[in-house]
C-alpha cells in the first residue's frame, strides 16, 4: 500500500480514472498476491491494532479491490484511510483528496513510480518483519 500511496502523492491534478488506468497498466487485472480471505481471517487482529472496526474493514476493502483489479475503488479507500489517520493524529489535513474527479495532493512525494506486478511479491520496504509475518501466518493457517 505504501507504494500505491506514494504514487498517488505524485499524481496531483490527475483524474481518478486516469490514475486507476495507470495502475491497471502496471499491475494488470488484479493482484493474485493479495489474498482477501487470509486478511479476513485476521480481521480481529486488525481491529485490535487499529482500535476500530471501520479501519480494519477499510483495509479489507482495499485488499478485495486490489485482488479484483478495481484500482479506482482501492484508491478511494486508501485516500479515506489516509484521511482517517490524519484525523486520529489530531485533525491534520489529509495528504490527498479527490475533488471533482481529480486528485488534489497536499503532501507531494518525490518519486511515485509503482513497482512492477512481478516485483510486488518481493517488494518489502522493511524486510526485517518477514520472519514475524511468516510465523503469524503459519499459526493462523493451522
Amino acid at each position: 500500500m505504501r507504494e500505491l500511496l506514494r504514487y498517488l502523492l505524485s499524481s496531483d491534478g490527475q483524474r481518478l480514472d486516469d490514475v486507476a488506468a495507470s495502475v491497471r497498466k502496471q499491475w494488470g487485472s488484479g493482484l493474485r498476491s493479495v489474498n482477501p480471505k487470509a486478511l479476513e481471517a485476521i480481521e480481529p487482529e486488525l481491529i485490535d491494532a487499529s482500535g476500530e472496526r471501520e479501519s480494519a474493514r477499510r483495509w479489507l476493502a482495499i485488499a478485495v479491490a486490489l485482488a479484483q483489479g478495481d484500482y479506482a475503488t482501492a484508491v478511494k479507500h486508501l485516500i479515506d484511510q489516509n484521511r482517517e489517520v490524519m484525523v486520529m493524529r489530531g485533525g491534520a489535513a489529509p495528504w490527498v483528496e479527490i475533488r471533482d474527479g481529480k486528485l488534489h495532493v497536499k503532501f507531494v512525494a518525490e518519486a511515485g513510480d509503482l513497482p512492477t506486478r512481478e516485483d510486488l511479491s518481493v517488494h518489502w520496504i522493511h524486510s526485517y518483519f518477514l520472519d514475524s509475518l511468516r510465523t503469524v501466518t503459519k499459526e493462523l493457517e493451522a
Side-chain angles (χ1 to χ4, degrees):
M1 299 311 132
R2 178 178 183 255
E3 295 305 320
L4 181 55
L5 181 60
R6 285 185 63 198
Y7 181 70
L8 299 180
L9 296 178
S10 68
S11 301
D12 187 42
Q14 293 187 35
R15 290 178 350 104
L16 172 62
D17 292 341
D18 293 339
V19 170
S22 294
V23 175
R24 177 176 296 283
K25 183 178 179 184
Q26 186 75 354
W27 289 353
S29 62
L31 299 180
R32 306 298 173 245
S33 60
V34 177
N35 184 342
K37 294 290 184 197
L39 289 174
E40 285 176 17
I42 64 168
E43 183 178 6
E45 287 79 9
L46 290 173
I47 293 169
D48 286 345
S50 69
E52 64 167 40
R53 182 174 304 276
E54 193 58 37
S55 179
R57 290 202 172 138
R58 194 175 303 111
W59 283 117
L60 293 173
I62 292 168
V64 168
L66 290 173
Q68 294 175 346
D70 185 356
Y71 299 116
T73 296
V75 165
K76 290 176 189 175
H77 287 309
L78 191 55
I79 288 172
D80 288 345
Q81 184 65 20
N82 173 252
R83 183 181 57 248
E84 292 304 315
V85 166
M86 299 314 285
V87 166
M88 290 186 326
R89 290 183 179 174
W95 292 352
V96 60
E97 297 176 314
I98 300 172
R99 283 187 265 141
D100 299 323
K102 291 183 179 179
L103 274 64
H104 292 271
V105 178
K106 297 176 184 173
F107 181 83
V108 179
E110 287 181 22
D113 293 334
L114 291 169
T116 65
R117 179 185 174 117
E118 293 77 26
D119 288 343
L120 279 176
S121 63
V122 295
H123 189 76
W124 291 89
I125 303 303
H126 304 290
S127 59
Y128 47 85
F129 291 121
L130 284 177
D131 290 333
S132 298
L133 180 61
R134 284 187 188 116
T135 301
V136 170
T137 302
K138 286 181 181 183
E139 287 177 14
L140 289 172
E141 285 178 343

